[in-house]
């Protein structure tokens, strides 16, 4: 794709003077929003009341379809239905009891309905959950926006780094010195991202996305490391940047994400299932793998055993990388007929005589935190009991430091309607370095909601957020906040809530290396 220059940027935009009213990115202007859900179209309903966002409970009284549709219409979308009951947010504003809006279905806003009982207070919603709503992915009215740019399984090339250790895929597509203005509306009024990516993302350098009618950048199924440099995403109605990843290694360097209607940056760790399509040509059998002193990475490994196996299966591998590098083991998926019928052990060296890093009796639907060696060697031992079907896949990556899920460096994340940075299902680590996270308007500036892994915040400023500066709610992992300022946040500066569910219900396992 042709690129612009710093002095002569290429601008993609909709037709001027279309006659259609522009969409507002700030949910405060419409008085309603959906939060804590998988997308800006589904989640906990909050209404702006007396200048503050308040979650809504209904005293267990059902709203009608007309009530839900009117709520979605108020936010600019079609449709509307009940989505879920949601547990209350701790230490948040008193909730709003709204029993029966009594909408007829023709109103443009909940505030135009006949209304039932509305009460505000710390006790009015006791013993009642918040209501969650889902809207259709369609705009209610014609908007002056175009679809945007979509990269789907775009061509890429495999390259080997200068130390001949790490293979990576580099997209053959790139956008440099480009402005994308008023994108995000597809055919028939469907919601879209200004830049939508399925597969390896394009190279983005000095790209500005402004006034997207939904999400600024949406990346899914990238299956390779990627980085965005000097990218600005502002005034999108949805997320600024959304990443759904089973691979991790997403680097956002020098980005500015501001004034977006929902979360500034939303990262979701996607758990692959055994039935999901993957390129099996690059997945090697763990037990028969032949490694060399000059082993290249990433290394995709699988372990399989039939349920008719009559004897215990034992396999071990010693992996080595270059001096000065470490190895990170990611657990992709596990499936078996009997829980705890297989065990994996990871040692920090060449044999099981070296220091044990982690040991785990494998369970279905439970994922351990990624494990990193302290040097260039790692020994992995796998055992499975007889008469138990076992299917496992894991990935080993080499790097100078522990592999990350998300790395946000020298960036500014501010004035977003949701959280500044939100991480769901953390598996390895999130690193925020030399960045500012300020004045974001829901729960926390940095919010880790689930999973297990390391949280590193260095040389950063986190201030003036509505809620906590940093809120970590997960199963565990190490936490390092250093050379950073956490000030003037409305809630806690730094809050940690550890999930203490019993072993048979745990979704993640932490190792606290």
């Amino acid at each position: 794709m042709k690129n612009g220059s710093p002095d002569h940027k290429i601008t993609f935009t909709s037709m001027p003077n279309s006659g259609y009213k522009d969409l507002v990115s700030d949910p405060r202007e419409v008085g309603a929003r959906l939060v804590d859900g998988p997308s800006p179209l589904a989640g906990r309903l909050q209404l702006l009341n007396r200048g503050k966002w308040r979650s809504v409970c209904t005293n267990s009284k059902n709203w009608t379809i007309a009530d839900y549709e009117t709520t979605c219409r108020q936010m600019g979308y079609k449709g509307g239905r009940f989505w879920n009951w949601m547990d209350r947010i701790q230490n948040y504003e008193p909730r709003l009891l709204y029993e029966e809006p009594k909408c007829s279905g023709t109103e443009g806003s909940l505030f135009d309905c006949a209304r039932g009982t509305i009460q505000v207070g710390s006790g009015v919603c006791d013993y009642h959950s918040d209501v969650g709503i889902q809207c259709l992915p369609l705009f209610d009215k014609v908007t002056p926006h175009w679809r945007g740019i979509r990269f789907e399984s775009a061509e890429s090339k495999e390259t080997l780094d200068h130390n001949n250790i790490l293979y990576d895929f580099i997209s053959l597509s790139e956008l440099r010195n480009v402005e994308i203005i008023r994108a995000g509306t597809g055919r028939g009024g469907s919601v879209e991202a200004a830049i939508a990516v399925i597969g390896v993302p394009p190279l983005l350098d000095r790209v500005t996305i402004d006034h997207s009618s939904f999400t600024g950048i949406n990346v899914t199924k990238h299956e390779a490391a990627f980085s965005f440099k000097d990218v600005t995403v502002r005034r999108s109605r949805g997320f600024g940047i959304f990443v759904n990843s089973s691979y991790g290694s997403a680097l956002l360097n020098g980005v500015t994400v501001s004034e977006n209607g929902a979360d500034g940056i939303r990262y979701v760790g996607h758990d692959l299932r055994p039935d999901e399509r993957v390129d099996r040509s690059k997945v090697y059998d763990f037990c028969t793998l032949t490694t060399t002193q000059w082993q290249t990475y990433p290394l995709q490994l699988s372990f399989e055993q039939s349920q008719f196996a009559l004897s215990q299966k034992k396999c071990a591998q010693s992996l080595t990388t270059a001096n000065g590098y470490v190895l990170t083991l990611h657990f992709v998926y596990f499936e078996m007929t009997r829980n705890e019928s297989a065990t994996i052990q990871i040692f920090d060296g060449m044999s099981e005589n070296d220091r044990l890093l982690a040991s785990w009796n494998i369970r279905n639907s439970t994922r351990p935190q990624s494990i990193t060696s302290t040097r260039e060697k790692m020994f992995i031992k796998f055992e499975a009991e007889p008469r138990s079907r076992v299917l496992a896949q894991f990935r080993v990556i080499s790097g100078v430091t522990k592999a990350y899920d998300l790395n946000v460096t020298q960036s500014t994340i501010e004035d977003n309607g949701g959280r500044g940075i939100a991480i769901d299902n953390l598996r390895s680590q999130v690193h925020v370095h030399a960045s500012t996270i300020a004045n974001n308007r829901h729960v926390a500036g940095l919010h880790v909601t689930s999973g297990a892994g390391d949280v590193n915040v260095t040389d950063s400023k986190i201030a003036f957020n509505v809620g906590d500066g940093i809120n970590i709610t997960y199963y565990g992992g190490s936490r390092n906040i250093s050379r950073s300022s956490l000030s003037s946040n409305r809630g806690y500066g730094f809050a940690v809530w550890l999930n203490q569910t019993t072993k048979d219900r745990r979704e993640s396992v932490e190792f606290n290396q």
Side-chain angles (χ1 to χ4, degrees), residues 198-210:
I198 300 177
V200 180
L203 300 176
L204 299 186
D205 186 9
R206 296 184 294 277
V207 172
T208 296
I209 298 171
D210 198 356

Side-chain angles (χ1 to χ4, degrees), residues 15-37:
M15 292 291 291
N17 303 319
S18 61
Y20 298 115
K21 185 178 179 181
D22 204 355
L23 296 172
V24 296
S25 61
D26 191 340
R28 291 177 295 186
E29 296 190 33
V30 297
R33 67 179 184 179
L34 301 177
V35 297
D36 303 326

Side-chain angles (χ1 to χ4, degrees), residues 201-205 224-229 231 249-253 255 404:
L203 300 176
L204 299 186
D205 186 9
F226 74 89
S227 65
F228 294 156
K229 181 181 179 183
V231 171
S249 298
L251 171 62
L252 305 180
N253 186 4
V255 304
Y404 51 79

